[in-house]
Amino acid sequence: MDFSLSEEQQLLKDSVQRFVREEYELESRRKLVATDIGYSEDNWAKMAELGWLALPLPEEYGGIGGGAVDTMVLMEEFGRGLVVEPYMSSVIIGGGFLMAGGSEKHKTELLPKLGAGELKLAFGYAERQSRFDLNDVECKAEKSGDGYILNGHKGVVFHAATADKIIVSARTSGGSRDADGITLFLVDNNCNGLSRRDYPTVDGLRASELELDGVAVGADAVLGAVGGGAALMEEVVGQAIAAICAESVGCMDVLQETTNEYLKTRVQFGVPLSKFQVLQHRMVDMFMECEQARSMCYMVTLKIGDEDPVERAKAVSAAKVQIGNSGRYVGQQSVQLHGGMGMTDELHVGHYFKRLTMIDTMFGNKDHHLKRYADL
Amino acid sequence: MDLAFSNDDLAFRDEVHTFVKAHLPADIAESVRRGRPIAKADIQRWQLILYNRGWAAPGWPVEFGGTGWNATQRYIFDEVMAEFDTPETIPFGLLMVGPLIYTFGTDAQKERFLPKILNGKEWWCQGYSEPGSGSDLASLQTKAVLTGDHYLVNGTKTWNSSAHIADWTFCLVRTSSEGKQQEGISFLLIDMNTPGIEPKPIISIDGAHHLNMTYYTDVKVPVANRIGEENKGWTYAKFLLGHERNSITEVGLSKQRVRRLKSIAEEERTGGKTLLDEPDFAGKLADAEIALTTLEYLSLRFLAEEAAGRPIGAEASMLKIRGTEIRQQLTELTIEALGYYAAPFEMEQMSDRWNEPSIGPDYAAAQMPQYLFSRAATIYGGSNEIQRNIIAKMVLGL
């Protein structure tokens, strides 16, 4: 049992930290968020060059073959910088689906491109009625010749506009909330019948509403087994949750550290705010939330590869609940303790607060995962 | 980073498992399972079994009779102990004064005291708080005046758990009123049979006698029973509080509490189904379990740090805060689960002499006293508010 980083992981951490320091001043990020695509292609190319896009991909397909801990290290630093490049959508989730469900042809053709930054992916799963249930799928895929015709809607698909291909969950059989009968399809972004409405999200990212109106795909667009998409989604979304927990820890640590410093410098009633016991205890509670979130981040990172699916699911949901609780507390209290300044767009605090708020929602919020944990 | 156990670790787990399964007396396990108070003799009986196996003190170094286990082994040991219904370790000897004696004591003190702490023959209690000194411990007034080769101790100590059944006490006394309060305190080991010591019961809200007010009138304590230097007692007390903060994390015990609570919730019914299947209750239970898992990994991180030779600082206060909060969360849920049968308060039901049918379900009687006494957990060992002060000052620099 060991919670320390290896030498390689420490080097990775240093290198991501340097990137964040150089490229992610709050002002630079503000400019990126305001561009057409909402992030920097230069940064993406740099991430490819540094090997980060290939980090979790297998070596036989041009990847680095990194594990969950490597991803954690990287995502935590991305969290500290509020990095907006589509790493989660493309590499963690997109790459995750290709690795877990892709055919040999998919892997050979797509994984090297993904790692090289020549291919971007997104994942469309949510629907208007589904809320956080991955298996509540009404989007239909009907057999047509060798292929399928897709009809339906996908909501809040992160980074869809800049993705080359979008992985879409659709129902090939069964009732609308059945786990069986969901199939995952790899759909070209520019294909006929696919229309997008693109928009910015509150946390500085981009997302789209997708309408699929008679989108025709070949049999080779299927990822994993036909009708077997539920298990595949559970696996890949579990990995995404582990990664987003690390991102969240990075966000929380920044807020905790900077709020702590702020209390020491802001003077009211002739003394620094840090001298008021009521604020000291608030700060201690924030610190404890950060440390608890970090503990659960380690836990889920180390258990995400567990062979027992129930153990794995419990680890994922438990971590997501803790991250949700901690993130909300640390985010809200950071705004509160900064007083009026915490309400300004100018200060970094609000931007971290917004990201933490959305991290709770991503892949099911605290309530969703509490219920899932209780049902396991 | 790695959670995996080595083959040696797995073999070790099997070894502990097999041993506890074979040697934990069934009557003790049954009492623990039912949440009854465990008698001193039963705790000593179990302690001796562990002692004879060489496992009395998992946290002590080998040279003083400990196991010398690494962090992983200690974790595994605690896990297995919690898996079976073993009685909780009484902290005063093994977790508190023992480590203090082997760290700061003389050779004679080590020889005199450590073996009987290990085998459970001598029972210890703590003499810290006074009627006028609670959270502000350094204001304590119990006086020790050096007279030849002994101190003469006069004063009153309070909240002394087990003082009425203890053989020895470790006591903070004032040896100087010069300078800062903290600099006039000494640390004495006192034989509870010395003339002039009089513990008086304090009955707590759970109806039980755990606590005492202890009066000291001209109590003679040999100088040889002082730990370390005169007027340096505060330093030792702080060291010891650090140990206490770790030990009241109670991850293993809270796992037992979760198991007990689940079995109760499986029996209790509401709206035609079990309480365990009632979504609101199930949600609260899941919430508590997740909080406990979080505490477990938080404490594992500390354990790993310690094992890597990096001593834990004031951050350990977090473990005390969360450990006690979670204990209270679980005891509260447990009485909530009982519904009306949280009410019957027939203390005789807990004794061996009770041979009538139980009032309500047989698991009910023990739960309310446990809930009530658990309220003390956020008060003792430095209240949770004091722990927050400590973190604010020592860790966050506020």
Side-chain angles (χ1 to χ4, degrees), chain A residues 2 4 277 281 285 291 295, chain B residues 1-2 301 388-389 396:
Chain A
D2 172 23
S4 60
Q277 194 182 39
H281 285 199
D285 287 339
E291 290 302 319
S295 303
Chain B
M1 283 179 81
D2 190 4
R301 286 173 56 205
R388 285 183 168 84
N389 288 350
L396 301 176

Side-chain angles (χ1 to χ4, degrees), chain B residues 30-77:
Chain B
E30 174 66 5
S31 290
V32 171
R33 200 180 61 74
R34 287 179 179 274
R36 290 187 189 129
I38 311 299
K40 178 179 174 180
D42 285 340
I43 292 174
Q44 285 177 314
R45 183 151 55 105
W46 175 233
Q47 175 70 17
L48 198 61
I49 292 169
L50 290 174
Y51 173 77
N52 288 331
R53 182 64 187 81
W55 292 349
W60 293 21
V62 175
E63 56 174 317
F64 302 118
T67 59
W69 287 336
N70 62 31
T72 312
Q73 288 170 310
R74 282 162 61 187
Y75 169 73
I76 290 171
F77 185 74

